[in-house]
């Protein structure tokens, strides 16, 4: 059932763009096939369903995200440096998987209700634990303000970073690292001139 990995990758990239633009429920196999320039029946040579396609798109994205996050979390960095590295890694993943991030944002809650996509909820718990744990460690170490509401801070940073997938375009004016630096400056140092 599997063909050349390059062609499979191209088809998944096309499917990801269509899912991101149209939404999972509104996307048909025919629409993906049209976007890929092939007959709908030919797409079934590569994938048994649109569910399989979105599953592979999301699991690939999350596996790569966690490979990077796990490396950051295992590096023994201080809390601020860990936050900086996690934000930078997040922007690298948005650069690599912009459409998958958009699908995840729109569809994860709905898809996670299906047994096949249970890993989405597991990943969300792991994600929250990593970020909250780092923020709590930073407060305890006196690196972050003692009055910081870590849950609210986590939500703010998470949403501020990941919403970038809605406007970010790979190969644009700024690299993922440059955008991460600007975001981190605003999040960690604020935007007001210090007196």
């Amino acid at each position: 059932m599997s063909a050349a990995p390059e062609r499979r990758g191209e088809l998944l990239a096309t499917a990801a763009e269509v899912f991101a633009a149209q939404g999972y429920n509104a996307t048909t196999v025919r629409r993906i096939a049209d976007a890929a320039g092939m007959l709908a029946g030919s797409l079934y040579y590569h994938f048994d369903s649109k569910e399989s396609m979105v599953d592979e798109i999301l699991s690939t994205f999350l596996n790569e995200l966690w490979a990077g996050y796990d490396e950051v979390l295992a590096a023994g960095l201080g809390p601020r440096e860990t936050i900086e590295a996690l934000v930078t890694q997040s922007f690298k993943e948005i650069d690599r998987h912009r459409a998958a991030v958009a699908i995840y944002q729109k569809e994860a809650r709905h898809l996670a209700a299906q047994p096949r996509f249970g890993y989405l909820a597991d990943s969300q718990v792991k994600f929250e634990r990593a970020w909250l744990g780092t923020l709590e460690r930073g407060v305890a170490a006196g690196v972050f303000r003692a009055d910081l509401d870590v849950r609210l801070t986590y939500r703010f940073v998470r949403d501020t970073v990941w919403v970038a997938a809605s406007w970010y375009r790979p190969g644009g004016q700024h690299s993922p690292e440059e955008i991460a630096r600007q975001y981190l400056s605003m999040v960690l140092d604020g935007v007001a001139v210090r007196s």
Side-chain angles (χ1 to χ4, degrees):
M1 182 129 189
S2 84
E6 306 83 44
R7 181 62 176 148
R8 186 177 178 83
E10 290 166 8
L11 293 172
L12 282 172
T14 299
E17 292 296 336
V18 176
F19 285 132
Q22 306 292 318
Y24 176 72
N25 286 332
T27 298
T28 62
V29 170
R30 178 178 298 285
R31 182 166 285 169
I32 295 166
D34 288 348
M38 63 194 309
L39 297 171
S42 300
L43 200 55
Y44 286 110
Y45 174 72
H46 302 278
F47 304 97
D48 63 5
S49 64
K50 75 174 190 173
E51 185 179 67
S52 291
M53 286 183 264
V54 82
D55 185 10
E56 193 165 333
I57 290 162
L58 292 174
S59 63
T60 298
F61 156 60
L62 288 173
N63 287 340
E64 289 185 21
L65 174 73
W66 280 108
Y69 271 21
D70 287 342
E71 204 172 289
V72 167
L73 296 168
L77 302 171
R80 181 181 173 118
E81 293 76 18
T82 300
I83 292 293
E84 291 170 344
L86 290 173
V87 167
T88 302
Q89 187 63 42
S90 298
F91 277 107
K92 287 178 180 176
E93 295 307 325
I94 291 169
D95 183 61
R96 272 195 288 268
H97 298 286
R98 187 199 52 78
V101 172
I103 296 164
Y104 182 87
Q105 289 174 333
K106 290 181 197 169
E107 312 289 351
R109 188 166 300 174
H110 159 75
L111 290 172
Q114 301 175 43
R116 178 179 194 155
F117 294 96
Y119 65 87
L120 296 174
D122 295 342
S123 183
Q124 184 56 44
V125 169
K126 187 177 172 186
F127 188 86
E128 191 170 302
R129 204 176 292 136
W131 285 82
L132 284 175
T134 302
L135 290 167
E136 288 165 353
R137 194 163 54 93
V139 170
V143 174
F144 302 139
R145 294 189 342 240
D147 66 335
L148 202 65
D149 180 323
V150 291
R151 186 160 290 281
L152 191 59
T153 304
Y154 155 69
R155 288 181 177 142
F156 172 76
V157 173
R158 175 198 65 194
D159 294 350
T160 301
V161 168
W162 290 103
V163 78
S166 68
W167 57 261
Y168 178 81
R169 293 297 172 266
Q173 183 179 354
H174 302 289
S175 72
E177 294 82 1
E178 289 170 314
I179 295 171
R181 268 196 303 281
Q182 286 290 322
Y183 267 59
L184 286 161
S185 172
M186 288 182 275
V187 168
L188 296 172
D189 304 321
V191 294
V193 175
R194 293 172 189 222
S195 52

